[in-house]
Amino acid sequence: MTARKKTLGDLRSQRWFGATDLRSFGHRSRMLQMGYERADFTGKPIVGIINTWSDINPCHLHFRERVEQVKRGVWQAGGFPIELPALSLSENFVKPTTMLYRNLLAMEVEELLRQHPVDGAVLMGGCDKTTPGTVMGGISMNLPMIFLPAGPMMRGHSGGTILGSGSDVWKYWAEKEAGNITTQEWNDMEAGIARSAGTCMTMGTASTMTSITEALGLSLPGSASIPAADADHPRMAGACGRRIVEMIWEDLKPSDILDRRSIDNALVVHNALAGSTNAMIHLVAMAGRAGIPVKLTEFDDFAQKVPVIANLRPSGQWLMEDFHIAGGIRALMVRLAPLLHLDARSVTGATIGDGLAGMKVFNDDVIRPLDRPIVSMGGTAILYGNLAPDGCVIKPPAADPRFLNHTGPALVFDSYDAMNAAVNDLTLDVTPDHVMILRNAGPIGGPGMPEWGMLPIPKVLLRQGVRDMVRISDARMSGTSYGACILHVAPESAAGGPLAAVRDGDLITVDVPGRRIHLHLDEAEIVARVKAFVPPDRAYPRGYNRLFAQHVRQAHEGCDFDFLEGAGGIPEPEIH
């Protein structure tokens, strides 16, 4: 039996339905208009289900069914469910980037929950920006909430070869451009690499963020790794519906769960997974909504003491289905127990440690022991220097080791179109030692900081057998990507960052062990060049792009809007 802190009169929804005035008459009569019985909603906690389903989001294709299973769980527990559709943000199709709209989704979730008569919420997400977006909005609203992850898709395959979405796309595209893959083989891969509903089945941004959310204590234990097509997934959806009703009566809110311990747990799990570099932006923003500051250097600090033990692509060998069979996030956290705050709270009402009870690892190659990791340390590295005063990011395990300490001449591009044309030019004057630079691709310059940071290797080099080189940008890259890509250079070039000063032929040194990135120019020359640099025009005349450009923060600050940062709610709406 749930230990209740709230009575019926304490429920937020009673402000709409519990009074005897004319306005409440209107609320109740409209519920009856929709065919509900009074007994359906009277005297029950009301659960808002934020559903990010759409016809053009393959990651959430199954959410039409899952929302019904959540509703079933809510009914079973004595609650009343209402579905509230929200921005779907399909990573595959939204242009120029879903990152442009993450904050809009966060605002929508917060306002959907504020404006409707709900006492708690189930947040349905998983496709890259839907996890941080919905969670940010939920944290800011601070009602009891639980996050339901979409789950990864099934493994891809073609010609007897197992394929991982994203990671193997980049790998085999390079081979195609080098002339080693036929058009028919490429078409067969296109048909076989994504075989079910669900998010990318590599440790890309989607699984990184759902794993981090579970580590924060905001999802049911073990939920993040369940494949979308697994029968466990609808059972988990029902469990979310039942549990949120209990959380409402318990008054268990994000502010009761999130603290420094939960953030540390998320940092440990992120590094053990060699998770997506995008997590550095999203976790900073998510924690910021709870009033918990996270510095970029903390990712590096944790990387120095947390080994990479998840043998998952793009840094390792296996895929998310294999990871789930090996025990998933709970098994990973059992291995990480000496590094975790096991007393941190969870949506279960108990501790993170309680949620790991009885769990073990079922495959020591997929989830390695701490003394036999993929990489002993350094799943993430944060570099600083005169090219990135506020930092930039690289994922060392995903890079050719020889580029972790490298000096080479710059090859600079001011736009993706210019870069794309150049890399397809077989007469391009480029060597494997060049450092490719893409600028005007940050939060303002992109706009929205698109995933352009895994710059394609020039075709002339691909045909010579080159498969990696140093690439630097103020953009992001897909969490499924790999290579010696240095990302999130801050401040960005469009905001007057030093990346604006680089010209073709300038020498750049990357020293990952020393955590340093250096442009071989004196400070006066850098200042003069930045002053002369003309960024792209981002003075939008109207609309959301205008709001975004005026208020978005830089990468190291989480790219949230300046007016949304920090903890503390907005007063409840007037009801008259």
Side-chain angles (χ1 to χ4, degrees), residues 49-53 59-74 81 83 122-125 148-152 196-198 223 226-241:
I49 306 172
I50 301 293
N51 189 356
T52 51
W53 174 88
C59 301
H60 299 176
L61 192 63
H62 53 315
F63 274 5
R64 254 184 173 171
E65 299 171 358
R66 292 297 177 271
V67 72
E68 296 305 318
Q69 289 138 4
V70 175
K71 289 179 182 179
R72 182 179 65 199
V74 172
E83 181 180 356
V122 175
L123 313 177
M124 299 177 64
L148 189 162
S196 77
S223 61
I226 302 173
D230 194 305
D232 272 343
H233 202 271
R235 285 192 283 269
M236 180 268 291
C240 287

Side-chain angles (χ1 to χ4, degrees), residues 289-502:
R289 293 295 186 95
I292 305 169
V294 176
K295 296 180 180 178
L296 199 57
T297 50
E298 293 182 55
F299 289 90
D300 208 341
D301 293 342
F302 275 81
Q304 297 309 302
K305 59 187 178 184
V306 179
V308 178
I309 61 171
N311 186 10
L312 299 173
R313 302 182 196 184
S315 296
Q317 175 185 356
W318 300 90
L319 296 171
M320 286 299 294
E321 190 174 346
D322 308 297
F323 181 62
H324 182 65
I325 293 169
I329 295 298
R330 290 178 68 218
L332 179 90
M333 293 177 76
V334 165
R335 283 269 157 92
L336 295 170
L339 304 173
L340 294 171
H341 296 287
L342 298 178
D343 59 342
R345 296 190 73 183
S346 154
V347 291
T348 62
T351 67
I352 291 291
D354 292 331
L356 304 181
M359 193 63 206
K360 62 181 181 179
V361 176
F362 300 107
N363 187 321
D364 282 341
D365 188 46
V366 178
I367 303 174
R368 298 285 186 88
L370 289 175
D371 60 359
R372 192 168 58 84
I374 303 300
V375 181
S376 61
M377 64 175 64
T380 293
I382 308 299
L383 314 183
Y384 289 90
N386 67 350
L387 193 58
D390 292 324
C392 56
V393 176
I394 187 172
K395 193 172 180 178
D400 186 326
R402 73 189 186 93
F403 292 118
L404 300 182
N405 202 325
H406 178 77
T407 298
L411 180 61
V412 184
F413 302 102
D414 284 329
S415 72
Y416 192 92
D417 287 343
M419 180 272 298
N420 198 48
V423 299
N424 288 299
D425 181 358
L426 292 176
T427 66
L428 182 67
D429 185 13
V430 62
T431 72
D433 289 331
H434 269 90
V435 176
M436 292 178 66
I437 302 286
L438 176 65
R439 58 192 176 202
N440 298 324
I444 297 171
M449 207 178 179
E451 291 185 344
W452 297 342
M454 186 182 173
L455 281 61
I457 304 293
K459 189 178 292 188
V460 64
L461 295 181
L462 288 174
R463 295 188 176 182
Q464 296 171 20
V466 175
R467 294 296 180 267
D468 200 4
M469 62 190 299
V470 177
R471 288 155 281 177
I472 301 174
S473 71
D474 45 17
R476 298 176 301 111
M477 75 177 184
S478 166
T480 65
S481 301
Y482 57 88
C485 300
I486 296 171
L487 313 154
H488 311 181
V489 172
E492 63 174 306
S493 54
L499 201 63
V502 186

